[in-house]
Amino acid sequence: MLNIRDTLFVATAALGFSAAQVAAQTTFIVAVPSDPGQFNPGITTGAHVHAVADSIFNGLVGLDSDLQPVPDLAASWSVSDDGLTYTFNLNQAAWHDGKPFTSADVKFTFENILFKYHSRTKAGLSGVVSAIETPDDRTVIFRLSSPHPAFLRRLNVTEAPILAKHIYENAGDPAEAEANSTPIGTGAYKFVSYSPGDRVVLEENTNYFKGDVTDLDRVVFRIIKDRETALLALQRGEVDYLPRMSAKDISRVEDQSTILTATAGPGGGNCIMTVSFNQDRELTQNSAFRQAFARAVDRNRLNDQVLFGRGKVANAPFSSAIGWAHDASALDALSYDSAAASAILAEAGISDATIDMVHFPNFTKYAELMAQDLAKVGINLVSRPLDRSAAIDAIFKQRDFDTNLISYCNGVDPEIGIKRMYVSSNIAPIPFSNASAYSNDKIDDLFAAAGNTADEAARAAAYGEIQSILADELPYFWLVETVRITAANPNFSGYRPWSGQYLETVRAN
């Protein structure tokens, strides 16, 4: 029986390469748990798409290991003294089909795709950017209606991937475009083929505008949904990179792998496992029910039994990694207390309640443990694991759920990954937007005020008030902060696990 590498050898040879050519090339294999389904990173924040597509595309800026902006498609930039004008000088790059990359691509992407379909960029920037100007092919100017302190750090490939105007201008709905299946980017790797449910194959972009940055001739993303199968493939040397793994499995592979940890990665960073309560359903509209739910769940047990102590119980609606904006006491009143939960339900006249929870299959353990806790207070939680596309459809389009469980990534600033969850303007059929359909004018105003000033103290005060309101109203419930654990082939270096472009600079040792 052929193993994964043997199978890939045969498949590559079938594309017309000689055996000698195939043998001489460096093929790097990544195990991904979900089928991306499509490769347009501008219409989703989903990690399943960005884990592959971010290697094909670029943003105006990248983020270094400290999550600070560095050049990407933009070679340099300047900011006006009033913080309202950002001028970017662009690198001379080309799309994978040979067409030149220009400022027109940047303007088109923001105005026609990101401001309409990317939940975080739509929520954070569409109301702030008043104009995008392109005085020449190598210059793009963003004019803001008010200062936006997080602006530069939300222009990387995960938050603002730049797409080709000549590909999407006449392609119809960008969420349904045929081009999403055969992506043309500017990135370090070019699309070769996609076998749904099996693999995605990329090859090195030998005309990359940054030069020869990698030793990898080919990258193969093998879709391996079963965790145990992926681990065994890594142990057998059939896989070089496992982007996400459980802490409990580290001991199985640490002798033969480089173990990497990061709070960010494809799809976003500083993530919190979060329960959304559907504000359109009678029971989950009830604030007493939401309070009882929160008091009934033992989040320390979730951290111990799901994350094996590698995470952190969330003590606020905002990630603790955004320290200046984080209120560490926000959730003090929601500590685990089954007796208190039962009393809240009794006073509200709620008994023998049954609700469902929609979630991705890899979150099943969370749902199982919460169901055990909730059963003690008379709440029957029915787990509904759905594959990623079905879950996104059920939650954000059909709104067919009582509760759901999502890993909401907060980003490096509340404007980037947090605002999109709570503002009423982001109640839309957009993946990873305001899943609860929560609406509060005060919350909208506070987010607007915090996003329109560079005064960090004023922003922190606004965010503190936001967290106090959220903890009281509980449109969501914040469980645990997670970290990304990656196992990588030690024969290579230059990994960038905090970035969507995590393979851009990989070299053989």
Side-chain angles (χ1 to χ4, degrees):
M1 181 177 180
L2 295 177
N3 65 27
I4 291 174
R5 290 194 185 277
D6 292 334
T7 302
L8 292 173
F9 187 96
V10 172
T12 306
L15 294 175
F17 294 95
S18 69
Q21 287 175 313
V22 175
Q25 292 182 330
T26 300
T27 297
F28 192 89
I29 303 175
V30 180
V32 292
S34 301
D35 192 325
Q38 61 90 21
F39 306 97
N40 182 345
I43 61 173
T44 181
T45 61
H48 65 304
V49 174
H50 285 270
V52 177
D54 286 4
S55 290
I56 302 172
F57 293 90
N58 297 87
L60 283 175
V61 306
L63 295 178
D64 64 17
S65 58
D66 294 321
L67 304 182
Q68 296 299 314
V70 294
D72 199 7
L73 282 172
S76 62
W77 54 83
S78 60
V79 185
S80 63
D81 291 341
D82 61 7
L84 298 179
T85 303
Y86 287 73
T87 302
F88 295 89
N89 304 305
L90 304 180
N91 274 304
Q92 188 165 347
W95 296 99
H96 294 156
D97 61 2
K99 298 285 199 309
F101 158 73
T102 72
S103 58
D105 296 307
V106 179
K107 179 179 173 67
F108 173 84
T109 298
F110 276 89
E111 293 180 345
N112 295 277
I113 298 177
L114 296 175
F115 287 166
K116 296 179 180 180
Y117 297 93
H118 191 286
S119 66
R120 293 194 290 255
T121 301
K122 175 181 181 293
L125 290 184
S126 61
V128 175
V129 176
S130 58
I132 301 175
E133 301 169 5
T134 55
D136 58 60
D137 284 352
R138 303 262 67 80
T139 307
V140 61
I141 300 171
F142 286 77
R143 300 199 184 276
L144 311 188
S145 58
S146 58
H148 190 81
F151 186 69
L152 282 174
R153 291 198 293 178
R154 65 185 316 151
L155 299 182
N156 68 321
V157 69
T158 297
E159 302 303 327
I162 303 303
L163 306 180
K165 178 181 179 180
H166 70 278
I167 296 292
Y168 283 95
E169 186 173 28
N170 298 309
D173 182 354
E176 305 294 336
E178 291 185 10
N180 295 345
S181 297
T182 55
I184 299 292
T186 53
Y189 300 98
K190 299 164 57 176
F191 176 81
V192 175
S193 65
Y194 170 43
S195 301
D198 182 23
R199 75 191 67 173
V200 183
V201 180
L202 310 182
E203 66 182 6
E204 181 187 6
N205 175 12
T206 55
N207 295 314
Y208 193 36
F209 68 93
K210 297 181 186 179
D212 180 16
V213 296
T214 179
D215 288 341
L216 306 183
D217 299 298
R218 185 181 300 103
V219 177
V220 178
F221 297 88
R222 280 299 311 268
I223 301 160
I224 306 177
K225 296 182 179 182
D226 180 71
R227 178 186 62 84
E228 182 64 24
T229 301
L231 281 167
L232 289 173
L234 183 71
Q235 290 177 305
R236 291 194 295 258
E238 298 177 11
V239 162
D240 298 299
Y241 198 86
L242 200 56
R244 297 294 295 268
M245 61 181 293
S246 170
K248 74 174 183 178
D249 296 321
I250 291 176
S251 61
R252 294 177 54 180
V253 300
E254 61 185 347
D255 288 342
Q256 65 187 82
S257 303
T258 299
I259 303 299
L260 309 168
T261 60
T263 60
N270 298 330
C271 306
I272 301 178
M273 294 301 302
T274 306
V275 175
S276 310
F277 297 103
N278 190 340
Q279 301 298 298
D280 299 328
R281 298 281 174 94
E282 182 178 357
L283 188 57
T284 47
Q285 277 182 347
N286 188 312
S287 61
F289 176 80
R290 300 196 300 271
Q291 290 281 339
F293 185 108
R295 299 303 299 273
V297 172
D298 185 352
R299 295 178 294 149
N300 282 300
R301 190 163 75 113
L302 297 180
N303 186 44
D304 291 341
Q305 296 189 25
V306 182
L307 302 179
F308 293 85
R310 289 266 180 162
K312 179 189 298 184
V313 170
N315 57 12
F318 289 19
S319 169
S320 62
I322 314 174
W324 62 270
H326 174 257
D327 179 0
S329 63
L331 302 183
D332 283 357
L334 297 173
S335 59
Y336 171 57
D337 189 332
S338 288
S342 295
I344 293 170
L345 291 171
E347 184 177 349
I350 299 171
S351 61
D352 300 322
T354 295
I355 58 170
D356 68 12
M357 175 172 282
V358 173
H359 57 85
F360 301 153
N362 55 316
F363 296 159
T364 295
K365 185 64 173 178
Y366 287 102
E368 290 176 347
L369 293 175
M370 284 190 284
Q372 294 170 12
D373 288 341
L374 292 166
K376 297 174 185 177
V377 300
I379 298 175
N380 177 31
L381 181 69
V382 179
S383 172
R384 284 179 58 198
L386 300 176
D387 68 46
R388 187 172 286 265
S389 60
I392 289 172
D393 184 73
I395 296 168
F396 296 101
K397 295 181 180 179
Q398 306 302 324
R399 297 201 55 74
D400 177 23
F401 68 93
D402 297 316
T403 68
N404 66 64
L405 181 61
I406 293 175
S407 174
Y408 268 114
C409 294
N410 287 195
V412 296
D413 188 284
E415 274 291 307
I416 296 177
I418 298 177
K419 178 180 178 180
R420 48 80 185 249
M421 297 172 60
Y422 305 108
V423 293
S424 58
S425 60
N426 225 30
I427 300 173
I430 299 173
F432 308 105
S433 53
N434 186 339
S436 288
Y438 174 62
S439 181
N440 182 319
D441 290 344
K442 180 66 171 177
I443 290 289
D444 291 348
D445 290 344
L446 285 167
F447 269 114
N452 290 338
T453 178
D455 185 334
E456 189 170 284
R459 298 185 73 208
Y463 290 138
E465 189 173 352
I466 287 170
Q467 289 170 88
S468 178
I469 295 170
L470 293 175
D472 181 58
E473 297 192 348
L474 276 185
Y476 298 80
F477 184 46
W478 309 270
L479 302 176
V480 288
E481 298 183 7
T482 60
V483 296
R484 297 171 185 266
I485 303 172
T486 296
N489 187 331
N491 295 320
F492 295 86
S493 58
Y495 301 115
R496 305 169 70 229
W498 65 87
S499 170
Q501 299 163 317
Y502 53 97
L503 300 179
E504 183 184 52
T505 56
V506 171
R507 297 284 192 186
N509 290 337

